[in-house]
Amino acid sequence: MTFDPQELGQSSSDLAAILQELRKRAGLSGVQLARRVSMSQSKISKIETGRVIPSLVDVELILRALDAPLDLVAHVTALARLANTEWQDARALRRKGLDRKQIELTTLERSTIRFRYFLPTMITGLLATPEYVRASLAPFPGDHTKAIAKKLERQDVLYESSKQFSFILTEQACRWPLVPAQAMAMQIDRLVSVSRLPNVRIGVIPMAGHMPWAPLNVFTVYDESLAIVEVSTGALVFRDPRDVQDYLDEFLTFEGYALWGENARVKMGGWADHFRDISQDF
């Protein structure tokens, strides 16, 4: 199906109303439907009142239990897909203030235990030096003082031993010269340093050998419940378990092509030395 970005995440009330109407047409109470689909009556009630967004699997179970017509199955499944997907427009985020986005991410990071970052284009804020953070925001107009401060504050989460982080960066992401050569060397040195934290894994995929899988987008998976996929004009937020699992599977694929531990540190150290050599030539 084709997504209209303005509809993403806005169809949950329509979905709730249709599911409730279908149950009533079938002559079933909430308790009876709950028994048929092995859910609690409380969950059925929350789905029908829009307090809980059902997954695609939940919706399929309910539709089968209600013997919904095929044309309605297609429509309701599409609504469920939209309800489980949110579009975050980059222009709207910038108008609100980039520091607001950092506050949202801080809240999300506070409730997450397992983080997986796939970074094919550039280094994420959690791993960035102050100079790199400033450079990453420089193309956007306005005063980014607050946003920079919030980005750097967020890095404290890396030192919470109860949380686990896995970062996969391509060689391009590590070596893209967003800042001058000496600053790039310091940035890569930071990657090496952070990779020694006991709860942080940093893998790198060198531009060498055969790579039969081509990355398309930056994405982050929070636990097994949420995936955020970044594009140049914004971000898609996926909550349906099957969508999230697709990104977990993709991450696992790239894990197999990455260097980890000391092998990764040796490779990154060579890249940092390259930038130091360049800086000495000027």
Side-chain angles (χ1 to χ4, degrees):
M1 64 177 292
T2 300
F3 286 143
D4 178 349
Q6 300 307 314
E7 295 177 352
L8 296 181
Q10 297 180 5
S11 56
S12 57
S13 59
D14 293 338
L15 176 63
I18 288 176
L19 291 175
Q20 184 181 64
E21 178 62 25
L22 286 174
R23 175 183 59 76
K24 290 180 178 179
R25 283 188 197 174
L28 295 178
S29 68
V31 172
Q32 290 170 320
L33 177 58
R35 287 174 182 162
R36 286 194 181 188
V37 296
S38 299
M39 295 181 195
S40 68
Q41 189 277 330
S42 173
K43 181 173 180 178
I44 293 294
S45 175
K46 288 177 181 177
I47 288 173
E48 292 186 355
T49 55
R51 288 177 289 166
V52 167
I53 298 175
S55 70
L56 289 175
V57 173
D58 290 338
V59 170
E60 288 168 0
L61 287 172
I62 291 171
L63 293 175
R64 280 202 295 269
L66 297 175
D67 292 322
L70 288 179
D71 58 336
L72 266 178
V73 168
H75 175 63
V76 176
T77 301
L79 275 178
R81 185 78 169 184
L82 291 170
N84 279 277
T85 308
E86 175 189 347
W87 170 250
Q88 297 181 344
D89 182 76
R91 295 182 186 88
L93 291 173
R94 290 196 288 270
R95 283 196 299 271
K96 292 178 183 177
L98 293 177
D99 57 310
R100 294 280 298 277
K101 178 62 178 177
Q102 299 307 309
I103 294 171
E104 291 177 13
L105 288 172
T106 298
T107 301
L108 179 56
E109 288 160 357
R110 192 175 295 130
S111 62
T112 302
I113 299 298
R114 184 78 170 86
F115 300 78
R116 298 171 180 88
Y117 289 80
F118 180 65
L119 306 165
T121 57
M122 64 184 294
I123 297 165
T124 189
L126 289 184
L127 301 175
T129 62
E131 187 165 356
Y132 195 97
V133 170
R134 283 192 292 272
S136 70
L137 297 178
F140 308 113
D143 180 4
H144 302 308
T145 305
K146 291 182 180 179
I148 292 169
K150 293 293 183 185
K151 268 183 174 281
L152 296 175
E153 285 175 15
R154 282 178 48 223
Q155 294 178 358
D156 288 345
V157 74
L158 293 172
Y159 302 94
E160 295 184 24
S161 59
S162 62
K163 299 181 183 293
Q164 298 293 318
F165 296 85
S166 292
F167 299 89
I168 299 177
L169 299 95
T170 63
E171 180 173 344
Q172 174 178 309
C174 292
R175 301 184 69 176
W176 188 267
L178 189 67
V179 291
Q182 184 58 37
M184 281 302 302
M186 294 173 64
Q187 172 58 78
I188 297 174
D189 286 342
R190 171 167 168 75
L191 296 180
V192 172
S193 176
V194 172
S195 75
R196 298 184 187 280
L197 292 173
N199 61 323
V200 175
R201 299 169 67 236
I202 295 182
V204 295
I205 302 177
M207 296 289 289
H210 175 57
M211 175 64 68
W213 189 279
L216 294 177
N217 299 103
V218 173
F219 66 84
T220 308
V221 182
Y222 297 86
D223 291 325
E224 284 77 39
S225 59
L226 183 75
I228 298 180
V229 181
E230 298 179 42
V231 296
S232 58
T233 55
L236 283 162
V237 182
F238 294 98
R239 293 183 175 84
D240 188 80
R242 287 186 289 193
D243 290 326
V244 175
Q245 187 61 50
D246 283 344
Y247 284 101
L248 287 170
D249 293 343
E250 186 172 343
F251 191 89
L252 182 62
T253 297
F254 286 117
E255 266 190 319
Y257 292 106
L259 301 175
W260 297 92
E262 197 57 36
N263 290 331
R265 285 188 281 271
V266 168
K267 181 64 70 173
M268 289 188 288
W271 297 336
D273 289 341
H274 170 74
F275 280 112
R276 271 185 279 271
D277 291 341
I278 292 175
S279 67
Q280 291 171 4
D281 291 338
F282 292 92

